[in-house]
Amino acid sequence: MKALFKNRIFKALLIAAVWLFVWQAAAWAVGSKLLLPSPYDTAAALVSLCGTAAFWKSCLMTLLRVFAGFLLGMAVGSALGVLTAASPFAEELLSPLRSIVKATPVTSFIILVLLYLSSALTPFFIAFLMVLPIAWTNVAGGILATDAQLIEMAEVFGFSRAKKLRVVYAPSVLPHFVSACTTGLGFAWKSGVTAEVIAHPSFGIGKAIYESKLYLETPELFAWTAAVILLSFGLEKLVMLLLGRTVKWK
Amino acid sequence: MEIKNVSFSYGDEPVLDNVSLSLTNGRRVAVMGESGRGKTTLLRLILGFIEPDSGEIVREDGEKPAVVFQEDRLLPWFTALKNVEAASEGGCSPAAILSDMELSDSMDKLPKELSGGMQRRVAIARALAFGGSPLLLDEPFKGLDPEMRERIAERILGYAGDGPILLITHDEREAELLKCDEIIRL
């Protein structure tokens, strides 16, 4: 029995079962599908949605917007991280921008961006905006935290600038970059779907969540939320599978 | 390389006072002293990381010192072999040098998978693979047992040939192992 509890899969299944039971018990206690659908009601709504083309199109559109925003946010944020780590002047000039993006509530941005961009592009841009400061801070932090002794060693052994970048800086920044990817993906999903709820693009999980709420279809609302969680989890696992190997030395 | 009447202090605290030494071909110099007497500061001055308060360090054109730092300073994401290859300038084969350091079976291991003594030998191999001169060794035998020290010292002398060596240590036996002909006490 002790060995069974040490098995990771069994442990994960057991924990999931405990929480599903808590959810089911709460649904029984509430006694209304409208207020709190049970796990069964949610699963049934999800299965039913899976049979519709609109579900898949909405998932695909949200996935594209969130992932494109995430990729652009990581790219621009990393470039800004390199720039501000290399130049104290750039850091002084650009850091207020980073602080503003970090501190402004996402809903303010969504409403503001809707004035300039289409409802289909707004979620993409919001995801980009939320990921940007995360990548920026982590990459700049990683560069500045590069071991000074290794930099001295590289100078003594005559490493060229490109070699220093490839052999010393890049591997040292990589764990910070990977950490930015996991945090950034979560933020991209949350902010992207929130933007869809407000912006109402033609297809998108956020729009579907809003409509489920509007028509009081609570099991569907739960099912769409479950779809977001599953997609977010799957995408994070995929990114970690690709990047996790690069920091094996840790 | 010539170090002429070099003095250095950290703020008001003098660390080196009027130190001179010559590192020309065939010279093997040991700098000895207890901790905090400025041995590593002297190495940093020689490498140009800091400037002396007075005196001068005359370097020959194209002179590229090979260094074993007090800390191993290995790239943690590279294997032992790749660490040595990264510094190699195409002279002796990095794999052959690692074999001479008795690390044939550990070339593909990451630094974290090696013992302290093994990491030390990788750092020595890296300096030898770089092939620069003079060879600057800051406590190179740290973590090695006495028999291993003897064998490694012999191989260092073999690779260094007629090139100058500067040994920084607090152990006079290490100066003997590297056949130092001058000992400077700080």
Side-chain angles (χ1 to χ4, degrees):
Chain A
M1 195 66 181
K2 219 174 178 180
L4 201 59
F5 272 100
K6 277 189 178 168
N7 183 308
R8 273 180 56 208
I9 298 170
F10 177 76
K11 213 166 147 185
L13 286 173
L14 191 71
I15 291 168
V18 167
W19 285 109
L20 279 173
F21 177 76
V22 170
W23 179 5
Q24 180 66 56
W28 277 328
V30 171
S32 161
K33 223 194 259 190
L34 197 70
L35 291 175
L36 182 63
S38 67
Y40 175 78
D41 296 329
T42 306
L46 188 59
V47 169
S48 155
L49 282 174
C50 285
T52 64
F55 172 79
W56 295 107
K57 201 170 174 188
S58 295
C59 286
L60 183 68
M61 291 311 292
T62 301
L63 186 69
L64 284 177
R65 288 182 194 118
V66 166
F67 197 53
F70 164 76
L71 286 182
L72 191 67
M74 286 306 297
V76 178
S78 300
L80 286 168
V82 172
L83 179 71
T84 51
S87 155
F89 172 72
E91 166 62 19
E92 276 186 49
L93 183 74
L94 297 171
S95 63
L97 196 70
R98 188 179 54 216
S99 305
I100 289 169
V101 176
K102 263 184 177 174
T104 308
V106 67
T107 40
S108 306
F109 269 131
I110 296 168
I111 290 159
L112 195 68
V113 171
L114 267 172
L115 295 175
Y116 310 109
L117 294 180
S118 68
S119 59
L121 275 178
T122 298
F124 151 77
F125 190 77
I126 291 299
F128 155 74
L129 216 53
M130 292 301 111
V131 173
L132 180 92
I134 297 168
W136 185 346
T137 311
N138 277 35
V139 169
I143 292 171
L144 295 173
T146 302
D147 189 343
Q149 291 192 338
L150 291 183
I151 299 168
E152 275 185 2
M153 179 280 294
E155 275 165 21
V156 165
F157 288 113
F159 289 13
S160 66
R161 189 177 281 215
K163 190 173 177 180
K164 248 189 260 177
L165 207 67
R166 185 169 48 84
V167 167
V168 181
Y169 283 104
S172 145
V173 171
L174 211 56
H176 298 261
F177 180 81
V178 171
S179 154
C181 280
T182 26
T183 318
L185 255 181
F187 271 81
W189 273 105
K190 282 180 198 163
S191 59
V193 172
T194 307
E196 283 183 345
V197 170
I198 296 172
H200 293 277
S202 347
F203 282 95
I205 295 178
K207 185 196 177 197
I209 285 176
Y210 178 78
E211 284 173 352
S212 304
K213 182 237 163 203
L214 202 66
Y215 302 119
L216 296 175
E217 285 163 349
T218 319
E220 274 197 14
L221 195 151
F222 271 58
W224 281 110
T225 309
V228 174
I229 293 168
L230 290 174
L231 280 171
S232 167
F233 183 75
L235 197 61
E236 190 187 318
K237 286 281 163 206
L238 184 71
V239 170
M240 284 306 104
L241 194 73
L242 295 172
L243 289 175
R245 293 161 200 264
T246 59
V247 288
K248 224 173 138 188
W249 58 272
K250 273 281 196 187
Chain B
M1 182 183 286
E2 292 273 346
I3 289 121
K4 295 180 180 171
N5 310 108
V6 162
S7 297
F8 183 83
S9 53
Y10 286 111
D12 293 336
E13 199 174 324
V15 180
L16 294 170
D17 183 27
N18 213 24
V19 176
S20 296
L21 64 93
S22 166
L23 285 171
T24 49
N25 268 352
R27 304 269 299 166
R28 286 172 197 154
V29 181
V31 175
M32 295 189 55
E34 296 303 312
S35 296
R37 302 301 290 267
K39 302 190 297 292
T40 299
T41 301
L42 179 64
L43 183 73
R44 295 182 66 76
L45 283 162
I46 291 172
L47 292 172
F49 292 148
I50 46 178
E51 289 298 316
D53 297 337
S54 62
E56 63 173 333
I57 296 168
V58 184
R59 298 175 182 90
E60 282 175 29
D61 280 346
E63 201 172 46
K64 290 188 299 184
V67 187
V68 175
F69 293 97
Q70 196 175 40
E71 316 79 17
D72 300 315
R73 302 196 187 191
L74 300 178
L75 296 164
W77 38 84
F78 275 181
T79 61
L81 182 61
K82 282 192 93 179
N83 261 288
V84 179
E85 280 174 346
S88 172
E89 297 234 314
C92 300
S93 139
I97 300 174
L98 278 170
S99 293
D100 281 342
M101 293 294 122
E102 304 182 18
L103 289 166
S104 310
D105 297 334
S106 306
M107 290 191 203
D108 295 327
K109 288 186 177 161
L110 293 169
K112 70 170 183 184
E113 297 166 326
L114 301 173
S115 69
M118 289 163 113
Q119 291 185 31
R120 202 69 194 134
R121 283 179 275 151
V122 176
I124 295 171
R126 179 178 60 191
L128 298 177
F130 180 62
S133 175
L135 183 56
L136 310 174
L137 308 167
D138 193 353
E139 309 276 4
F141 303 118
K142 202 170 58 179
L144 306 186
D145 62 52
E147 292 81 24
M148 178 71 82
R149 281 176 194 214
E150 272 183 41
R151 295 199 297 274
I152 297 298
E154 251 176 58
R155 283 157 203 169
I156 291 175
L157 290 173
Y159 277 102
D162 194 32
I165 294 178
L166 175 73
L167 169 70
I168 291 172
T169 183
H170 60 269
D171 185 347
E172 198 155 345
R173 282 167 302 181
E174 292 185 358
E176 284 166 21
L177 285 177
L178 284 174
K179 302 183 170 50
C180 291
D181 41 38
E182 185 184 351
I183 293 180
I184 295 171
R185 291 178 199 278
L186 296 179

